[in-house]
Amino acid sequence: MKTLCIPKQQNVLKTGIAFGIFLMISLFTTTVNAQETERTVTGQVTSNYGIVPSATVLLKGTYIGVVCDDDGKFTFPQKLKENDVLVVTSLGFKDREIKITGDTTYIEPFLEDIPIIITAALRTKATTAPLDIEKK
Amino acid sequence: MRRYLLLVCFIFMPFLHAQQSDFKTIDFTKAENIADRHKGEALTNLPMLAHQLTYTLDTDVERFRAIYYWVCHNIKGEYGLMLKNDRKRQKLKDDPEALHIWNHQFKRQVFKKLLNDKETLCTGYAYLVQELSRLAGLECKIINGYGLDGSMKSKNLEMPNHSWNVIKLNGKWYLCDATWSSGFTDVTTELFEFDYDNSFFLMQPSAFIKTHQPVDKEWTLLPQK
């Protein structure tokens, strides 16, 4: 009876060790995978009018981000992973959300124009003219 | 009878009360100080600016106050742009297609000027107030209509010449005009001077209508007949 028990215990030990190794390997590989998918994203913001200078690119829900240069180009300051969402904002355009997919490292957000009619009525004051008349 | 009178009072309350004095218990000093502290900030990162102006404030009206105050003290009126637009719109008023093309090009010019020089005309003011409010989680709209101020009164206004905002605070709409709050342009020198006028901040609808007639009558915020 005893001789039968020993191999059984050894079996448990063996499977335990095997499972441990498997666990470690799987853990290890997932971290390796995550490292692979994190990447630096660059891009250029464009619109109907061509490139858009000085747009803001932020990671959705945060204030982590960057302001584009005069050529509309940017390099996102933080490494991004799949399914991260960037929000591009600029004066006079609708916000644009861009989802990072697959192995994207370069994006070209296209901003849509806002429908707005420019009107103009400023307050004015004729200061000097009436004063001159009074002086005379 | 007294009960009915009370009921009548409650029915008319929303119209009577959509004005600055609704918030007379609120001290705006903190909001104004925040706006002052961010004086000169660029318009390149609007989400961040909206956040910085509002995140320490507790009520929507204070958040809006900080935004409005900042815009009125940092954005200049641009008289040249205004004249250019007025002339062109008058000239093209019977040609909708040409007017559309003009608006499309001019719009870009206006936003560029606003972004680079922080100078604009009323649409730019109204747009900036709306955008910053939106980014701070407030509901704000641009209203187009006729602005009647001094010299403009005599002019025959055929097309809308002015834009302002309505802002929703505690479930009610309020009127304001950042363009006319910010200051004035001296017509002889064509230079803008900051001269903050608080009366256009959440102005009473019955007073606002005297100088501001919206294209869509609903936005007078006066009781509809």
Side-chain angles (χ1 to χ4, degrees):
Chain A
M1 287 299 277
K2 274 181 185 172
T3 47
L4 275 173
C5 280
I6 296 160
K8 255 190 182 171
Q9 274 177 338
Q10 276 176 339
N11 268 352
V12 170
L13 207 75
K14 267 184 188 169
T15 43
I17 290 169
F19 184 70
I21 289 169
F22 172 75
L23 210 75
M24 274 171 73
I25 288 170
S26 56
L27 269 174
F28 200 65
T29 45
T30 46
T31 45
V32 167
N33 271 340
Q35 272 173 352
E36 270 174 4
T37 51
E38 273 203 353
R39 75 309 291 265
T40 305
V41 174
T42 59
Q44 190 172 29
V45 183
T46 61
S47 74
N48 262 337
Y49 299 93
I51 53 160
V52 179
S54 310
T56 316
V57 185
L58 296 180
L59 183 61
K60 197 180 179 182
T62 71
Y63 291 96
I64 301 166
V66 64
V67 174
C68 300
D69 64 13
D70 290 345
D71 298 322
K73 288 182 179 162
F74 70 91
T75 302
F76 203 77
Q78 182 181 292
K79 292 216 168 171
L80 298 173
K81 54 186 188 304
E82 205 171 341
N83 294 328
D84 275 345
V85 177
L86 296 181
V87 186
V88 186
T89 321
S90 184
L91 261 183
F93 296 101
K94 281 184 188 161
D95 283 5
R96 180 75 199 266
E97 291 193 0
I98 305 272
K99 199 172 181 180
I100 302 297
T101 52
D103 49 3
T104 319
T105 53
Y106 182 82
I107 53 170
E108 228 170 63
F110 183 86
L111 299 184
E112 215 180 303
D113 216 4
I114 47 155
I116 201 169
I117 291 163
I118 306 289
T119 58
L122 296 170
R123 295 186 101 186
T124 51
K125 239 181 208 177
T127 45
T128 18
L131 275 174
D132 283 346
I133 296 163
E134 277 170 28
K135 274 175 197 167
K136 282 171 193 172
Chain B
M1 185 60 198
R2 197 176 288 171
R3 202 176 288 171
Y4 283 115
L5 266 175
L6 207 70
L7 196 73
V8 168
C9 281
F10 273 116
I11 290 167
F12 284 103
M13 227 157 74
F15 309 118
L16 297 172
H17 277 219
Q19 53 184 301
Q20 211 182 113
S21 58
D22 281 9
F23 304 103
K24 62 182 167 208
T25 51
I26 290 178
D27 182 7
F28 289 130
T29 320
K30 191 178 172 189
E32 287 163 13
N33 284 345
I34 290 169
D36 280 341
R37 219 177 306 141
H38 291 283
K39 202 168 180 145
E41 207 92 355
L43 295 177
T44 42
N45 196 342
L46 283 189
M48 194 61 183
L49 180 62
H51 175 70
Q52 282 175 337
L53 287 173
T54 56
Y55 82 106
T56 53
L57 298 167
D58 301 325
T59 60
D60 279 353
V61 67
E62 281 176 280
R63 287 184 201 112
F64 184 66
R65 177 68 175 191
I67 289 168
Y68 189 83
Y69 203 80
W70 189 88
V71 170
C72 290
H73 286 84
N74 288 272
I75 308 298
K76 281 184 178 179
E78 225 286 44
Y79 196 64
L81 271 182
M82 182 190 105
L83 290 182
K84 200 169 156 188
N85 191 45
D86 270 0
R87 271 198 299 266
K88 203 76 179 183
R89 285 178 71 82
Q90 204 60 40
K91 204 172 131 191
L92 298 175
K93 68 173 190 286
D94 299 321
D95 188 349
E97 204 174 316
L99 193 66
H100 181 77
I101 294 168
W102 159 254
N103 190 59
H104 187 71
Q105 291 165 346
F106 190 62
K107 185 161 60 174
R108 202 74 322 258
Q109 207 181 326
V110 167
F111 285 123
K112 217 171 168 178
K113 188 96 188 150
L114 177 58
L115 186 67
N116 296 339
D117 306 328
K118 285 195 263 176
E119 285 181 7
T120 195
L121 23 80
C122 55
T123 308
Y125 277 100
Y127 172 77
L128 191 58
V129 168
Q130 186 199 34
E131 273 304 280
L132 288 170
S133 300
R134 180 181 68 85
L135 292 165
L138 303 170
E139 206 181 330
C140 183
K141 282 179 198 283
I142 299 175
I143 304 298
N144 290 319
Y146 305 90
L148 313 160
D149 180 51
S151 62
M152 279 167 239
K153 241 171 225 168
S154 53
K155 266 193 223 165
N156 189 14
L157 290 169
E158 291 163 51
M159 290 172 88
N161 71 333
H162 194 31
S163 308
W164 56 91
N165 296 100
V166 285
I167 174 80
K168 205 175 201 175
L169 298 167
N170 301 339
K172 250 190 275 175
W173 288 106
Y174 291 85
L175 295 157
C176 60
D177 183 350
T179 315
W180 290 7
S181 267
S182 66
F184 60 88
T185 305
D186 189 320
V187 278
T188 29
T189 57
E190 294 197 2
L191 289 175
F192 181 82
E193 238 175 89
F194 283 112
D195 182 19
Y196 182 67
D197 181 347
N198 197 42
S199 64
F200 290 105
F201 178 73
L202 315 183
M203 198 186 233
Q204 202 173 345
S206 58
F208 201 76
I209 189 75
K210 287 175 189 160
T211 48
H212 296 73
Q213 289 173 2
V215 174
D216 184 352
K217 292 284 170 285
E218 193 191 329
W219 291 111
T220 56
L221 300 185
L222 289 167
Q224 298 293 304
K225 276 164 202 158

